[in-house]
Amino acid sequence: MVEAAIKEIDAALLASKTLHVDETRLRVDGKNQWVHVASTAKVTRYGLHRSRGKQATDDIGILPRYKGTMVHDAYVKADYFFPKIAGLKFPRRTSWILLFFLLEPFFP
């Protein structure tokens, strides 16, 4: 039953035009592991892996098969887009949130 749900989620992710991806560290039994996330506005897939890089994304299996546009917060430095707004410096995550809302209408 769980496998069928994962297959449905994977199919929805692979069919989307835009895929939002990210990863974050998580301590498991005293060791670092990584939670990898792939999502659209409607579905989200999490994958836990001991590695952060290509081996993890290959093992989880979504990114190697995806043919659309992927959005990730570390592809380029956020300060490139929003170095200063009204004389204020914004934290990196804030800049990406602003960029996401500006670009989202172009990636349904």
Side-chain angles (χ1 to χ4, degrees), residues 70-90:
M70 283 187 264
V71 179
H72 187 279
D73 67 356
Y75 283 164
V76 293
K77 194 170 185 289
D79 292 343
Y80 175 81
F81 293 104
F82 298 102
K84 292 183 181 178
I85 298 177
L88 300 173
K89 286 193 174 185
F90 285 83

Side-chain angles (χ1 to χ4, degrees), residues 24-70:
T24 191
R25 186 178 56 177
L26 177 70
R27 298 285 288 176
V28 177
D29 294 327
K31 296 181 181 178
N32 287 337
Q33 293 200 23
W34 296 90
V35 178
H36 296 263
V37 180
S39 66
T40 68
K42 295 182 180 180
V43 294
T44 300
R45 169 80 145 75
Y46 298 95
L48 183 65
H49 201 277
R50 68 187 176 285
S51 151
R52 182 180 187 186
K54 185 177 183 322
Q55 185 63 52
T57 59
D58 287 352
D59 290 348
I60 294 166
I62 298 293
L63 303 191
R65 298 182 291 153
Y66 186 68
K67 303 296 184 208
T69 302
M70 283 187 264

